[in-house]
Amino acid sequence: MEPLSTRGLPRLSWIDTLYSNFNNNTDGYDGDTAEDRKSQDGSETMPFIDESPTMSPSLCARGPDGEAISPVPPEGLLPRGDIEKGLEMKKLVLSGFLASEEIYINQLEALLLPMRPLKATATTSQPVLSIQQVETIFYKIQDIFEIHKEFYDALLPHIQQWDEKVAVGHLFKKLASQLGVYKAFVDNYKTAVETAEKCRQANVQFQQISENLKVKGPKDSKDCTTNVTMEALLYKPIDRVTRSTLVLHDLLKHTPKDHPDFPLLQDALRISQNFLSSINEEIDPRRTAITTPKGEARQLVKDGFLVEMSEGSRKLRHVFLFTDLLLCAKMKKTSAGRHQQYECKWYIPLADLTFQLLDDSDVLPHIQVLPEHEIEEIKIKISVIKSDIQKEKKALKGQSRNVERLRKKMNEQESWLLLHSPTIPFRIHNKHGKSYLFLLSSDYERSEWRESIQKLQKKDLQTCQLSSVELQVLTSSCCKLRTVHNIPVTSNKDDEETSGLYGFLHVIVHSAKGFKESANLYCTLEVDSYGYFVSKAKTRVFRDTTEPQWNEEFEIELEGSQCLRILCYEKCYDKTKLNKDDNEIVDIIMGKGQVQLDPQTVQSKNWHVDVIEMNGIKVEFSMKFTSRDLSLKRTPSKKQSGVFGVKISIVTKRERSKVPYIVRQCIEEVEKRGIDEVGIYRISGVATDIQALKAAFDTNSKDILVMLSDMDINAIAGTLKLYFRELPEPLLTDRLYPAFMEGIALSDPAAKENCMMHLLRSLPDPNLITFLSLLEHLKRVADKEPINKMSLHNLGTVFGPTLLRPSESEVTKGHITLASDIWSHDVMAQVQVLLYYLQHPPISFAELKRNTLYFSTDV
């Protein structure tokens, strides 16, 4: 058998892209030669880390034309069902990873080589370093080396004796379970690098050692050793965690689901992804360090795009947090072909930065918040454009003029959305000058920025005043130092990148433990959508406890989502602690964490139990996902005695009523005590409460009225929405769906009126009377818009796709193929149909039936 080195492996372009070209640092050791990294035209294919809203590492490479090369095997490479080829591909992936493990172990060994003599001399009369300095610089390196040496020695014989029965999942799961060592290494990493740099400047002997470490090459390499700096080698463990996660993705792709490895690799991937999320804030000082003209060490700790309120309008800024100051910049407009440049708008030394609350004398700038229906309409437009791009790609086969035009249009819409959707204030104060206001979409994000700044402020910081030259140098360096290169919009992502999940995520928040003192505790759930995060659900407050047991279930709609965030709060009931920025009592974030929504892990009929660790707190939750195409399917109830999933005509006939009892009771309760509720019908109710009401209505329980009076109003609103969603066919019927789509598209007002009224008359009586009752109810809800923030547009957006959907036959005709297409297909028209009737003067059933004006076209 050939030696397991990078040069001994069969060369596959996608494996080269993923494994050979991972390290792009110039001073680090790379397994391939310069020639290996060249593309056919001689240009280097440099890897990059995608800056998605989930911040999950997703590596690709750039080809000679600048287009992304996917680190995924081409579609035709692995025909479905061809298990032998799949396992052979799995062997190739493992072989490539094993070869890189050999290199990594050699790099760790090179670090350990000087550690032993340095430790030995530390207790002598002429030490190079102190014991504390040695232990700080080389912290956990020995443990990491032993873990990977054991893994390598266990994996090697499996590859050498390969067959389809070979199982390696247990090795990867064990490796993933030992990532706690890496957490300790990452926490100490910045200190280790800073200590090494100080020692290098103070000690000539250590400087010589740290700049000339010898790394052994692969076993069959002609080059016996390579000189590498200590700083470069200290970065390798951080680099390695990301690579291990990528390999697990590829192994899962080429492992049959019935193979014993599959569930073990899934577990390993989940553990690795959660670990990466937990350390994602750790920035690489090696890449982000700069030296000021005065010789001070200044490092970039965090950067990102934020919306600033400036002179009464919203401006998109790129904000850079350095170790001693916060800099706010905007991208200069440059002509084609020129390098991007930043212009500094302002900066604040961290020593002068505060988050103090406003005095009563301070005047808050007016924050213009757009109506929610405008935000929703832009989302729908973006989804339609995405669908059009996919259709153009299939039709054009390489001609990209229309595609580029659509991409540009989508970029404009998404950029507008990112600029106008954030509403959570984040105020920065300079105690010697001005105050600045940012708007964020997520409390998680606001907390991250605040915590990062406060962590730096714990150090002994001195105020700094930059000269114009120093400021220009620092601003110019931002292009090179930034870690977030593009605003998080779809048009800035590569086609091969995952588009996220479309459908419904069911989440049960079970419990939490690890609190040191009793408190009033609750959780909120956020998911990403269209490049930013939004809060989707909130548990009840569990009062005066250290171990809250919520056990609440939520149904969260996903729109291309890739990440779920959970924030745990302590509820503050002290009304004196009022945050004037958002006019709410300030609740304290006790912990926060996130988990990747990986389709391979989430898409299962069974509940997936997980735990998020945050600041010593552990929150247990379960989740399962229903795709958008499955949610479109309406399954009739097998037991015709219930009301959910039963034809509306059967229910009304059985009840001897014109409108189903469930509809009447839910409407009555909402109008009694929920019509002033902010976000009524938009905010999710607790799923367990909704299921309890569903069961009560299905069994005609005598306790229904008592349950309704005691139940959270959002659960009652959710029950009404669920009833309409689970009808065997939409309230406005499958048969009339195409005609409604044509009618709403008519330009002539008279023709539209004629058509839309005729379509109502064409509905079965139970459907029509129920629809008219719902219309009048929703109008009464919208009358309270100044209080409940639910306009006719908002209500149309919530109910339109529920009352009016394409039938399964429409979906399967071939017009709709992708989950994102299913979401966007006709949604705007569905909303417009309901909005037409909501904005119409009151419609009487009797007058509608008496009206003899008929639409001229059969339906």
Side-chain angles (χ1 to χ4, degrees):
M1 180 176 173
E2 294 178 350
L4 289 171
S5 69
T6 47
R7 290 175 181 79
L9 288 170
R11 308 302 289 180
L12 290 172
S13 60
W14 64 274
I15 289 183
D16 289 350
T17 301
L18 182 56
Y19 302 114
S20 303
N21 293 326
F22 189 95
N23 295 322
N24 63 333
N25 51 302
T26 55
D27 53 0
Y29 176 78
D30 203 338
D32 288 324
T33 61
E35 286 75 14
D36 289 327
R37 292 196 300 271
K38 299 277 185 178
S39 59
Q40 290 181 354
D41 68 346
S43 61
E44 291 194 13
T45 55
M46 297 298 286
F48 68 99
I49 296 180
D50 166 53
E51 300 296 339
S52 65
T54 62
M55 298 179 288
S56 172
S58 176
L59 261 71
C60 299
R62 295 286 180 185
D65 57 355
E67 290 296 313
I69 302 170
S70 171
V72 179
E75 281 292 323
L77 201 58
L78 183 63
R80 225 174 242 187
D82 196 340
I83 295 176
E84 288 184 8
K85 283 189 179 180
L87 291 171
E88 187 61 30
M89 191 62 68
K90 181 180 175 181
K91 179 187 175 183
L92 289 173
V93 174
L94 285 169
S95 299
F97 185 60
L98 193 70
S100 67
E101 272 289 288
E102 180 190 349
I103 294 167
Y104 180 48
I105 290 168
N106 289 344
Q107 292 165 343
L108 293 173
E109 214 167 18
L111 267 178
L112 290 173
L113 198 62
M115 184 190 78
R116 298 180 185 105
L118 285 170
K119 189 177 279 189
T121 60
T123 55
T124 65
S125 58
Q126 293 183 319
V128 179
L129 302 178
S130 68
I131 282 285
Q132 186 178 358
Q133 287 171 331
V134 173
E135 289 178 349
T136 301
I137 294 170
F138 298 98
Y139 185 66
K140 294 295 179 183
I141 296 296
Q142 181 71 46
D143 293 342
I144 293 172
F145 171 78
E146 289 172 3
I147 288 169
H148 283 270
K149 186 69 169 67
E150 181 186 352
F151 172 77
Y152 178 87
D153 291 342
L155 183 60
L156 179 59
H158 288 83
I159 308 301
Q160 291 173 334
Q161 300 166 12
W162 180 263
D163 63 41
E164 68 275 5
K165 296 179 182 178
V166 167
V168 296
H170 63 289
L171 299 177
F172 279 91
K173 186 172 180 180
K174 182 179 179 182
L175 184 65
S177 68
Q178 295 170 311
L179 285 173
V181 175
Y182 276 90
K183 180 69 171 77
F185 175 84
V186 169
D187 288 343
N188 180 71
Y189 175 68
K190 290 180 182 178
T191 308
V193 173
E194 289 169 2
T195 304
E197 178 60 23
K198 287 177 184 175
C199 294
R200 193 182 68 81
Q201 292 179 4
N203 190 299
V204 177
Q205 194 175 352
F206 181 71
Q207 182 180 3
Q208 292 172 346
I209 293 170
S210 65
E211 290 179 355
N212 294 284
L213 295 179
K214 306 289 184 185
V215 178
K216 290 188 296 185
K219 292 173 184 175
D220 65 339
S221 173
K222 293 176 183 177
D223 302 320
C224 295
T225 59
T226 307
N227 285 351
V228 187
T229 66
M230 183 176 289
E231 184 186 7
L233 289 181
L234 283 172
Y235 178 67
K236 295 301 178 184
I238 293 176
D239 189 30
R240 194 66 193 170
V241 181
T242 307
R243 173 175 286 189
S244 300
T245 306
L246 292 167
V247 171
L248 286 167
H249 271 290
D250 283 331
L251 287 176
L252 274 168
K253 283 177 196 167
H254 303 296
T255 301
K257 290 191 176 180
D258 57 354
H259 193 284
D261 271 351
F262 193 81
L264 295 171
L265 291 172
Q266 276 190 318
D267 287 343
L269 178 61
R270 176 177 56 81
I271 294 167
S272 299
Q273 286 179 324
N274 288 348
F275 174 75
L276 278 175
S277 296
S278 70
I279 66 165
N280 198 50
E281 294 175 21
E282 301 296 335
I283 303 296
D284 166 20
R286 179 186 58 76
R287 284 194 302 143
T288 60
I290 61 167
T291 305
T292 67
K294 296 178 181 178
E296 301 164 347
R298 176 178 288 135
Q299 294 166 356
L300 178 65
V301 176
K302 181 179 177 67
D303 70 302
F305 289 95
L306 298 180
V307 174
E308 183 188 13
M309 286 295 296
S310 176
E311 298 176 354
S313 61
R314 294 169 179 250
K315 307 288 184 183
L316 190 63
R317 306 295 195 209
H318 200 149
V319 181
F320 297 85
L321 175 61
F322 291 94
T323 44
D324 61 339
L325 60 85
L326 184 77
L327 185 144
C328 178
K330 81 165 192 175
M331 184 69 74
K332 285 184 178 179
K333 290 184 179 180
T334 54
S335 55
R338 295 195 62 184
H339 292 296
Q340 291 180 322
Q341 290 182 327
Y342 284 106
E343 174 190 334
C344 176
K345 300 304 295 182
W346 51 265
Y347 75 92
I348 304 177
L350 296 190
D352 299 332
L353 190 151
T354 66
F355 301 107
Q356 65 195 33
L357 295 177
L358 301 176
D359 296 327
D360 291 334
S361 58
D362 290 325
V363 179
L364 275 170
H366 174 66
I367 301 172
Q368 185 180 6
V369 178
L370 287 175
E372 193 169 325
H373 72 268
E374 290 190 28
I375 300 287
E376 292 300 324
E377 285 172 5
I378 291 295
K379 288 182 180 179
I380 293 168
K381 286 178 183 178
I382 292 168
S383 295
V384 171
I385 296 171
K386 283 182 184 176
S387 178
D388 291 343
I389 288 173
Q390 294 299 324
K391 291 173 186 174
E392 285 287 339
K393 283 182 178 177
K394 289 176 184 176
L396 294 171
K397 296 181 180 178
Q399 300 175 19
S400 59
R401 186 174 297 177
N402 284 344
V403 172
E404 287 307 311
R405 179 181 58 80
L406 287 168
R407 278 188 183 279
K408 184 177 179 182
K409 188 176 177 183
M410 184 167 72
N411 184 282
E412 291 171 358
Q413 299 282 4
E414 289 187 313
S415 299
W416 185 94
L417 192 63
L418 283 174
L419 191 63
H420 291 89
S421 55
T423 58
I424 298 176
F426 178 45
R427 183 175 289 275
I428 301 291
H429 307 266
N430 185 338
K431 60 187 181 184
H432 299 304
K434 290 180 64 177
S435 296
Y436 303 93
L437 176 63
F438 293 110
L439 298 177
L440 286 70
S441 63
S442 156
D443 204 14
Y444 191 107
E445 187 182 4
R446 176 167 66 174
S447 174
E448 279 188 326
W449 278 99
R450 185 179 282 134
E451 287 173 9
S452 296
I453 292 170
Q454 288 172 337
K455 185 177 179 181
L456 292 168
Q457 288 179 326
K458 289 179 181 178
K459 300 176 182 178
D460 185 22
L461 294 174
Q462 301 296 320
T463 189
C464 58
Q465 188 70 37
L466 301 183
S467 68
S468 58
V469 174
E470 288 173 330
L471 184 59
Q472 187 176 354
V473 169
L474 181 61
T475 308
S476 299
S477 70
C478 286
C479 273
K480 182 180 177 182
L481 300 178
R482 61 186 176 175
T483 63
V484 181
H485 294 267
N486 299 305
I487 60 173
V489 295
T490 308
S491 47
N492 283 335
K493 293 186 181 180
D494 299 305
D495 295 337
E496 291 82 2
E497 291 181 44
T498 175
S499 59
L501 297 174
Y502 289 83
F504 294 92
L505 184 70
H506 297 263
V507 181
I508 302 175
V509 183
H510 296 293
S511 60
K513 57 185 178 180
F515 298 97
K516 295 176 182 177
E517 297 178 359
S518 293
N520 305 311
L521 304 165
Y522 69 93
C523 286
T524 63
L525 308 180
E526 296 180 353
V527 294
D528 59 302
S529 172
Y530 298 91
Y532 61 96
F533 279 83
V534 288
S535 184
K536 287 285 190 176
K538 176 182 174 182
T539 68
R540 294 189 182 96
V541 178
F542 215 93
R543 302 191 70 146
D544 195 24
T545 182
T546 57
E547 293 191 1
Q549 302 283 331
W550 294 290
N551 292 314
E552 293 183 47
E553 182 183 341
F554 301 94
E555 181 185 77
I556 297 172
E557 187 170 9
L558 303 184
E559 300 166 335
S561 306
Q562 298 176 346
C563 186
L564 168 70
R565 288 174 169 175
I566 298 183
L567 296 92
C568 191
Y569 291 84
E570 178 184 357
K571 182 72 178 174
C572 177
Y573 291 101
D574 186 352
K575 293 186 178 181
T576 62
K577 295 181 179 179
L578 192 69
N579 184 344
K580 287 181 64 178
D581 276 350
D582 49 19
N583 202 30
E584 290 181 4
I585 294 172
V586 181
D587 294 339
I588 302 166
I589 296 180
M590 304 295 286
K592 63 187 190 311
Q594 60 185 13
V595 60
Q596 302 304 126
L597 297 176
D598 181 51
Q600 291 178 320
T601 320
V602 177
Q603 285 180 313
S604 168
K605 292 181 180 178
N606 302 320
W607 286 95
H608 175 75
V609 183
D610 210 335
V611 173
I612 286 184
E613 294 193 32
M614 44 177 89
N615 297 349
I617 301 163
K618 292 183 178 180
V619 175
E620 184 181 339
F621 66 99
S622 301
M623 59 182 176
K624 68 177 179 179
F625 171 72
T626 306
S627 63
R628 174 68 67 175
D629 51 345
L630 288 176
S631 71
L632 279 172
K633 294 182 179 179
R634 294 172 179 259
T635 307
S637 173
K638 291 181 181 178
K639 49 177 188 177
Q640 295 293 303
S641 58
V643 294
F644 281 82
V646 180
K647 287 184 177 180
I648 196 168
S649 57
I650 294 175
V651 173
T652 51
K653 187 176 180 180
R654 185 201 310 138
E655 295 177 351
R656 296 180 181 178
S657 63
K658 294 181 179 180
V659 177
Y661 178 70
I662 182 174
V663 175
R664 298 197 315 268
Q665 288 305 128
C666 289
I667 285 176
E668 183 180 324
E669 199 64 35
V670 168
E671 293 191 2
K672 186 189 298 181
R673 59 188 181 91
I675 205 159
D676 291 338
E677 185 79 12
V678 174
I680 187 71
Y681 289 119
R682 179 178 57 80
I683 292 176
S684 300
V686 177
T688 43
D689 290 348
I690 294 172
Q691 290 303 317
L693 281 171
K694 176 183 175 182
F697 277 111
D698 265 341
T699 57
N700 197 21
S701 170
K702 295 177 182 178
D703 300 327
I704 287 177
L705 293 179
V706 176
M707 289 178 68
L708 285 171
S709 61
D710 291 342
M711 199 69 77
D712 176 66
I713 198 64
N714 288 315
I716 295 169
T719 303
L720 182 62
K721 290 189 294 180
L722 182 67
Y723 169 74
F724 285 120
R725 196 162 70 233
E726 291 195 358
L727 284 173
E729 72 168 349
L731 188 65
L732 300 188
T733 73
D734 290 334
R735 183 178 67 89
L736 295 177
Y737 179 80
F740 274 113
M741 293 298 98
E742 291 173 9
I744 199 65
L746 293 173
S747 301
D748 179 64
K752 183 182 285 189
E753 169 81 5
N754 185 12
C755 175
M756 299 301 277
M757 291 303 112
H758 171 68
L759 289 173
L760 285 188
R761 282 192 296 274
S762 303
L763 288 170
D765 282 1
N767 297 58
L768 175 57
I769 298 171
T770 301
F771 179 66
L772 294 178
S773 298
L774 180 64
L775 271 186
E776 293 310 307
H777 165 63
L778 295 179
K779 288 179 182 180
R780 288 192 288 272
V781 172
D783 287 342
K784 296 281 190 174
E785 181 191 353
I787 302 170
N788 61 34
K789 311 299 181 188
M790 293 300 290
S791 64
L792 290 176
H793 287 82
N794 291 346
L795 294 164
T797 302
V798 170
F799 278 94
T802 299
L803 304 178
L804 196 69
R805 290 192 187 188
S807 64
E808 286 187 47
S809 59
E810 289 284 320
V811 172
T812 54
K813 279 179 184 176
H815 302 300
I816 312 171
T817 54
L818 300 175
S820 54
D821 291 344
I822 293 170
W823 186 86
S824 64
H825 184 74
D826 286 348
V827 167
M828 192 182 297
Q830 293 160 15
V831 172
Q832 290 301 318
V833 168
L834 181 55
L835 191 57
Y836 179 86
Y837 292 121
L838 285 170
Q839 292 174 333
H840 197 280
I843 303 168
S844 160
F845 174 80
E847 289 180 9
L848 195 64
K849 286 296 185 180
R850 279 199 303 269
N851 193 330
T852 56
L853 184 63
Y854 285 90
F855 185 47
S856 58
T857 305
D858 290 334
V859 295

